[in-house]
Amino acid sequence: MTVTDAVVRLAIILGFFLVVPLVVGQMEHKAMAHMQSRVGPMYAGAFHGWAQLVADGVKFAQKEDVVPAAADRRVFQLAPAVALIPYLVVLVAIPIGPGTQVGRDLDAGLFFVLAVMGVGVLGSLMAGWASANKYSLLGGIRSAAQLMAYELPMILAASSVAMAAGTLSLTGIAVAWHWYWLPWQLMGLFVFFVSGLAELQRPPFDMPVADSEIIFGAYTEYTGIRFALFLLAEYAGIVVLSLLTTVLYLGGWKGPFYLGLGAAGFGWFWTLAKTLVLAFLVIWLRVSYPRLREDQLQKLAWTTLIPLALAQIALTGILKVV
């Protein structure tokens, strides 16, 4: 790979990382405004509240950056970056299209992505511990417990896809994927997507930031740009989860029909379309379902998702042998 190719790929990844999470954030504002009759997001801007995202950015930029007197300043200030950077690193290994439309095609790309995604929760744990606030600490501990519970079914579900494809390379999995995989991988798709939502602490799995119990969890003491970075990390996590689900279970850049968009140069179109549909599903779940209790959240992982993931692996093994 030449220096020019490396720079171009890095620019594409950075552009994707900076633009798509903001698009998802704007989509969430509009979807919640329509589904829950929230009038605020519909008035910031002359046309359909187009400037809501800009207004949020200005609001966060002008807020005072407050660090509690009793906080561990260095850890407190580093936590937002630790929460955000893993998702930028992960995008390097997720293919957007066929051929060279990937930052780096790793032989063990699937395990690399899952491992780095797990690092993001350290940002919440650091924020909760460093804030010198009992509610923040409780939120951070809940984040860690949630990661431990849902990482296992997520990895098991992804292992089933790797077994079916015969490779751990994300590009290799997308190339090997066929539409007839979808019916017998539906159980794994359900387990993987639900586990991903729980790791991102998205509703209905947002117990670590349960405002009715612990104010806003690990992020209670954060203001201004640092708080905005945590929000950006959440939207970036939605994009990464949707991208990874697209590559593993929905064929990545492969479309159901061509219409001139199935050629190598337009594979990114199908990847982006599937990603945005899944991101909308994440938003819809937030609007539609109430928050689970902490005991219900743990019970779902250990008594439902893990057995389903193991059953999916057994089914995949049987079908591969047969």
Side-chain angles (χ1 to χ4, degrees):
M1 183 189 302
T2 65
V3 176
T4 303
D5 290 339
V7 171
V8 170
R9 291 189 184 189
L10 181 61
I12 292 173
I13 292 169
L14 285 173
F16 190 91
F17 179 78
L18 293 174
V19 173
V20 178
L22 296 179
V23 171
V24 172
Q26 183 77 341
M27 184 194 304
E28 183 166 57
H29 278 111
K30 302 308 171 186
M32 293 179 69
H34 284 291
M35 293 180 179
Q36 295 182 331
S37 298
R38 298 188 178 193
V39 297
M42 307 306 293
Y43 286 91
F47 177 72
H48 206 63
W50 65 268
Q52 179 62 48
L53 205 62
V54 177
D56 285 342
V58 173
K59 177 186 70 174
F60 286 124
Q62 68 182 5
K63 280 189 174 181
E64 183 181 0
D65 182 18
V66 178
V67 179
D72 186 322
R73 294 185 64 89
R74 187 178 297 275
V75 177
F76 185 89
Q77 293 168 346
L78 283 176
V82 174
L84 178 61
I85 290 175
Y87 295 115
L88 175 60
V89 175
V90 158
L91 283 176
V92 173
I94 300 179
I96 307 299
T100 60
Q101 296 181 42
V102 58
R104 191 71 173 178
D105 184 17
L106 303 176
D107 292 336
L110 177 58
F111 282 172
F112 170 79
V113 167
L114 293 176
V116 175
M117 284 179 66
V119 175
V121 75
L122 292 178
S124 299
L125 193 58
M126 290 169 61
W129 179 83
S131 294
N133 180 312
K134 63 181 179 181
Y135 297 108
S136 297
L137 180 58
L138 180 58
I141 292 173
R142 282 185 175 182
S143 298
Q146 198 160 308
L147 172 72
M148 292 175 62
Y150 283 88
E151 187 78 5
L152 182 57
M154 191 175 188
I155 291 175
L156 290 174
S159 299
S160 172
V161 178
M163 182 189 302
T167 178
L168 291 173
S169 166
L170 291 175
T171 301
I173 290 173
V175 169
W177 187 90
H178 297 281
W179 284 104
Y180 65 78
W181 279 20
L182 197 53
W184 55 276
Q185 290 288 346
L186 273 178
M187 189 160 51
L189 170 59
F190 171 78
V191 172
F192 185 86
F193 196 71
V194 170
S195 299
L197 285 179
E199 286 203 7
L200 294 176
Q201 303 168 33
R202 289 286 301 184
F205 306 103
D206 59 338
M207 285 306 299
V209 292
D211 53 309
S212 58
E213 298 179 33
I214 51 178
I215 310 177
F216 205 65
Y219 319 126
T220 297
E221 300 290 352
Y222 281 87
T223 59
I225 293 298
R226 289 197 176 91
F227 182 74
L229 288 177
F230 278 117
L231 292 182
L232 181 59
E234 180 179 336
Y235 290 126
I238 294 174
V239 173
V240 169
L241 173 63
S242 301
L243 264 177
L244 197 55
T245 305
T246 294
V247 171
L248 294 180
Y249 294 97
L250 301 179
W253 59 80
K254 296 179 180 178
F257 44 83
Y258 289 94
L259 296 181
L261 297 174
F266 289 94
W268 59 268
F269 171 84
W270 293 115
T271 302
L272 185 60
K274 296 172 186 177
T275 298
L276 291 177
V277 169
L278 289 174
F280 179 79
L281 177 60
V282 173
I283 296 167
W284 176 75
L285 289 173
R286 173 181 179 175
V287 174
S288 303
Y289 288 92
R291 178 184 299 125
L292 295 178
R293 297 197 314 262
E294 186 68 20
D295 62 313
Q296 292 173 328
L297 185 145
Q298 294 292 333
K299 184 178 181 180
L300 176 65
W302 295 105
T303 65
T304 303
L305 296 186
I306 290 178
L308 286 178
L310 292 173
Q312 179 66 72
I313 289 179
L315 176 62
T316 302
I318 292 170
L319 293 178
K320 284 289 287 185
V321 171
V322 171

